[in-house]
Amino acid sequence: MKLTYAIKYVDDMSRAVKFYRDVLGLPLKFESPEWSEFATGETTLALHPSSKKNAPGSVELGFTVPDIAKFHHDVSAKGVYFS
């Protein structure tokens, strides 16, 4: 399993991009009102607008696995719930 994405929900995309790019110095891959990404090595930092479901500052992690069906089966058996 490999962590490929860290998605942070923001309430102001422009302000958030400026912070990560200009203050922290992360290289910007691309910017749009709905999705922005930074080149951060093997794991991409992505920014997405906050919503009722995803409060500003909340984070989701995205993993890559070799066999999604097997992964789902194995971790479901360990009590992991998939929404």
Side-chain angles (χ1 to χ4, degrees):
M1 177 171 31
K2 179 180 170 187
L3 177 63
T4 51
Y5 270 91
I7 304 165
K8 183 167 184 185
Y9 293 93
V10 300
D11 61 355
D12 184 327
M13 182 66 73
S14 180
R15 190 177 84 208
V17 166
K18 287 176 185 173
F19 173 76
Y20 286 99
R21 181 190 60 212
D22 301 341
V23 177
L24 295 185
L26 296 177
L28 182 65
K29 286 169 60 176
F30 69 88
E31 177 182 1
S32 77
E34 297 300 316
W35 190 268
S36 299
E37 288 188 4
F38 295 87
T40 55
E42 291 188 22
T43 303
T44 297
L45 171 61
L47 304 178
H48 192 69
S50 58
S51 65
K52 279 184 158 183
K53 180 184 171 209
N54 299 296
S58 63
V59 174
E60 286 187 14
L61 302 176
F63 295 91
T64 300
V65 295
D67 183 338
I68 189 71
K70 181 178 182 332
F71 177 80
H72 181 267
H73 177 269
D74 292 349
V75 297
S76 292
K78 294 177 182 179
V80 173
Y81 169 75
F82 290 84
S83 56

